[in-house]
């Protein structure tokens, strides 16, 4: 699919979903995620956790056998698990189309990674000025999920078809690779949940309402803030700090 075709599809999808829902932007806020993006995000999240929990019940029954009744029993859990996985990959593919251009790696992302300790610890009051719509950490998670989905498709197909089609060795290897990919992705999701709540307060709210405060934008994504407002993020930060100090005196 060409870049123009992706853009046309994405624009049409956004327009369609905006008619079905709404995003209210108040004074001092910026649009971050339209309805289409939010629906995709939570649909992907739903099927990820359905696949994850059903997978836990199948591969670690001595710890998670209590999960199987939630899916209608052990046999039905085994049947549903691959369908949950296929749905997760399917909807994430639309998220890839939605975010592909913004997730491309640039030189400033490498600089962000070199300073990740200072950024994560809060030593830096603002992210580097060149940080755009997504930072390097978010991009890494995105591409880790892309790689994980590819592995899921390959290993899942082999496991689903079984030894008669691919051989016992291929099936055994697929089980190991499948489980490792799931564990790596789960670790990334834990980091994502932390960053979207405690690490960058306001990020989770953005995926619920679709809007962020200008202060959030100039703090965590200053280049994006400058792009959508035309204002210098450092100057906006200094002005806000002066107003806060004046209000205290």
């Amino acid at each position: 699919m060409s870049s123009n075709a992706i853009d046309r599809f994405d624009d049409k999808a956004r327009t369609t979903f905006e008619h079905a829902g709404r995003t209210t932007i108040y004074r001092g806020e910026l649009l971050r995620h339209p309805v289409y993006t939010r629906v995709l995000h939570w649909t992907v999240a739903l099927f990820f956790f359905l696949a994850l929990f059903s997978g836990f019940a199948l591969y670690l029954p001595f710890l998670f056998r209590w999960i199987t009744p939630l899916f209608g029993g052990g046999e039905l859990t085994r049947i549903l698990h691959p369908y949950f996985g296929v749905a997760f990959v399917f909807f994430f593919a639309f998220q890839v189309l939605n975010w592909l251009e913004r997730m491309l790696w640039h030189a400033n992302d490498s600089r962000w990674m070199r300073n990740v300790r200072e950024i994560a610890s809060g030593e830096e009051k603002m992210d580097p000025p060149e940080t755009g719509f997504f930072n390097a950490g978010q991009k890494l998670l995105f591409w880790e999920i892309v790689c994980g989905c590819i592995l899921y498709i390959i290993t899942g197909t082999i496991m689903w078809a079984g030894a008669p089609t691919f051989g016992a060795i291929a099936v055994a290897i697929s089980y190991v690779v499948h489980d490792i990919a799931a564990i790596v992705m789960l670790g990334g999701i834990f980091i994502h949940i932390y960053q979207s709540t405690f690490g960058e307060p306001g990020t989770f709210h953005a995926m619920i309402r679709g809007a962020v405060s200008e202060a959030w934008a100039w703090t965590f994504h200053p280049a994006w803030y400058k792009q959508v407002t035309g204002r210098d993020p450092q100057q906006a930060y200094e002005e806000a700090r002066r107003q806060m100090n004046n209000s205290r005196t």
Side-chain angles (χ1 to χ4, degrees):
M1 185 180 292
S2 67
S3 177
N4 289 337
I6 292 174
D7 291 341
R8 288 196 300 270
F9 170 82
D10 202 48
D11 289 341
K12 184 176 181 180
R14 287 170 182 265
T15 302
T16 301
F17 275 81
E18 285 300 327
H19 289 314
R22 60 181 299 180
T23 304
T24 303
I25 310 297
Y26 296 105
R27 185 177 181 180
E29 291 185 332
L30 302 172
L31 174 64
R32 177 71 175 175
H33 297 298
V35 176
Y36 174 57
T37 298
R38 301 195 313 264
V39 170
L40 272 181
H41 175 274
W42 292 114
T43 304
V44 169
L46 171 65
F47 282 108
F48 170 78
F49 283 108
L50 287 174
L52 178 72
F53 290 132
S54 59
F56 279 161
L58 292 175
Y59 301 119
L60 296 171
F62 57 93
L63 289 177
F64 298 103
R65 63 168 58 93
W66 55 271
I67 294 179
T68 54
L70 301 177
F71 296 105
E75 187 60 32
L76 190 55
T77 301
R78 186 175 298 279
I79 294 172
L80 289 174
H81 175 71
Y83 289 102
F84 290 149
V86 169
F88 165 67
V89 173
F90 175 79
F91 286 107
F92 184 72
F94 287 98
Q95 195 69 289
V96 171
L97 297 180
N98 186 40
W99 278 343
L100 181 60
E101 184 177 353
R102 287 173 167 169
M103 288 295 183
L104 297 178
W105 195 266
H106 302 288
N108 60 282
D109 295 312
S110 298
R111 290 192 292 271
W112 191 95
M113 290 302 300
R114 287 195 290 270
N115 297 320
V116 65
R117 180 176 298 178
E118 291 77 9
I119 295 170
S121 66
E123 294 179 22
E124 300 288 344
K125 300 302 181 184
M126 297 174 60
D127 269 46
E130 64 271 15
T131 305
F133 193 91
F134 290 116
N135 61 43
Q138 293 167 320
K139 292 182 180 182
L140 282 177
L141 175 63
F142 174 84
W143 290 110
E144 183 270 317
I145 296 177
V146 169
C147 294
C149 286
I150 294 172
L151 290 175
Y152 290 155
I153 292 172
I154 296 172
T155 59
T157 300
I158 294 173
M159 292 157 58
W160 205 341
T165 303
F166 292 100
I169 295 178
V171 171
I173 294 174
S174 294
Y175 270 102
V176 174
V177 174
H178 197 84
D179 292 350
I180 292 174
I183 292 171
V184 172
M185 189 176 293
L186 179 60
I189 295 300
F190 280 145
I191 296 173
H192 174 62
I193 293 173
Y194 169 79
Q195 283 298 112
S196 63
T197 52
F198 301 103
E200 293 184 1
T203 304
F204 181 81
H205 185 72
M207 197 52 80
I208 298 294
R209 280 195 51 241
V212 294
S213 68
E214 291 193 26
W216 181 95
W218 76 55
T219 300
F220 300 115
H221 301 271
W224 174 69
Y225 171 82
K226 186 174 183 178
Q227 178 187 359
V228 297
T229 66
R231 298 183 62 199
D232 179 78
Q234 185 65 43
Q235 183 180 5
Y237 166 73
E238 295 295 340
E239 289 178 1
R241 190 173 66 171
R242 283 196 298 269
Q243 291 175 4
M244 184 178 296
N245 290 336
N246 290 337
S247 65
R248 292 175 179 173
T249 58

